């Protein structure tokens, strides 16, 4: 698929359907089974350009029903992708915008446990914020050790009432954080 913008982030929803986040803030849908000529350079397979952020999209994650996207302005959007391609909706519906107005800094990495309804976002200041996907509630704010370097990778495993397991890549090492219990 050729695009009119640099692609910064990608995510696969399944073996055939994927998303690409661009420097222009646009999220594009693509299908690997289709000829690249059928993908519009600005919007992919979407019928319009409503699936977007106001700044560069660089973090994406998807499962069968949700797409989570993060942009350089600190916004994390949760999209409903269940009806894509159907008659009722040809663009995903934005279900929630996760951010803190006072702490809207660039999000550098995303981690998901969509089965448990939690998303984690790390910023360049080495803070990891965990949100509930359904209500957008900030569940936890975890400060990573700055001496370990900048956060370069993030993964999350979570079970309700238990301590989340957060795996963070910082510099040339991977650290496991599991000492914070979510309320």
């Amino acid at each position: 698929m050729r695009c009119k913008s640099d692609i910064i982030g990608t995510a696969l929803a399944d073996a055939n359907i994927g998303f690409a986040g661009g420097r222009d803030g646009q999220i594009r849908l693509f299908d690997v089974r289709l000829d690249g000529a059928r993908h519009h350079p600005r919007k992919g397979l979407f019928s319009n350009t409503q699936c977007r952020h106001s700044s560069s999209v660089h973090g994406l994650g998807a499962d069968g029903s949700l797409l989570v996207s993060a942009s350089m302005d600190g916004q994390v959007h949760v999209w409903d992708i269940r009806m894509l391609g159907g008659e009722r909706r040809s663009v995903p519906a934005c279900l929630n915008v996760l951010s803190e107005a006072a702490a809207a800094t660039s999000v550098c990495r995303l981690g998901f446990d969509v089965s448990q309804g939690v998303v984690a976002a790390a910023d360049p200041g080495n803070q990891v914020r965990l949100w509930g996907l359904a209500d957008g509630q900030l569940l936890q704010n975890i400060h990573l050790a700055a001496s370990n370097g900048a956060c370069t990778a993030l993964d999350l495993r979570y079970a309700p009432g238990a301590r989340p397991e957060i795996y963070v890549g910082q510099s040339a090492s991977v650290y496991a954080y599991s000492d914070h219990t979510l309320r």
Side-chain angles (χ1 to χ4, degrees):
M1 174 176 93
R2 299 211 29 98
C3 298
K4 294 280 185 179
S5 175
D6 294 336
I7 298 301
I8 301 172
T10 60
L12 292 174
D14 61 31
N16 299 308
I17 303 295
F19 298 91
R23 187 174 306 280
D24 60 358
Q26 186 69 41
I27 299 171
R28 294 158 176 84
L29 170 70
F30 61 91
D31 187 335
V32 297
R33 298 168 293 190
L34 298 178
D35 179 350
R38 295 186 57 189
H39 294 89
H40 189 279
R42 287 209 197 303
K43 56 192 176 187
L45 294 174
F46 288 142
S47 62
N48 61 42
T49 58
Q50 292 177 353
C51 188
R52 67 176 305 114
H53 283 259
S54 59
S55 65
S56 299
V57 175
H58 59 91
L60 292 168
D63 76 349
S65 63
L66 295 174
L67 170 70
V68 182
S69 58
S71 60
M72 294 300 292
D73 62 2
Q75 298 290 307
V76 177
H77 291 201
V78 181
W79 307 90
D80 180 354
I81 58 174
R82 290 177 294 180
M83 302 302 284
L84 291 181
E87 294 179 23
R88 291 200 273 171
R89 184 170 40 240
S90 55
V91 295
C94 185
L95 299 176
N96 223 327
V97 177
L98 312 175
S99 69
E100 291 180 87
T105 61
S106 152
V107 174
C108 61
R109 296 291 174 242
L110 289 174
F112 306 91
D113 194 334
V114 178
S115 67
Q116 298 299 330
V118 177
V119 63
D123 68 30
N126 281 345
Q127 290 189 62
V128 176
R129 291 178 179 85
L130 287 92
W131 285 282
L133 289 173
D135 58 8
Q137 178 184 353
L138 180 66
L139 302 172
Q140 187 81 38
N141 189 9
I142 300 169
H143 298 276
L144 305 178
S147 60
N148 294 339
C151 175
T152 56
L154 177 68
D155 193 18
L156 168 71
R157 297 291 177 258
Y158 171 70
R163 294 178 176 170
E165 296 174 7
I166 301 169
Y167 301 94
V168 177
Q170 290 177 277
S171 297
S173 299
V174 175
Y175 297 91
Y177 292 86
S178 62
D179 58 341
H180 299 283
T181 302
L182 298 181
R183 48 186 143 125

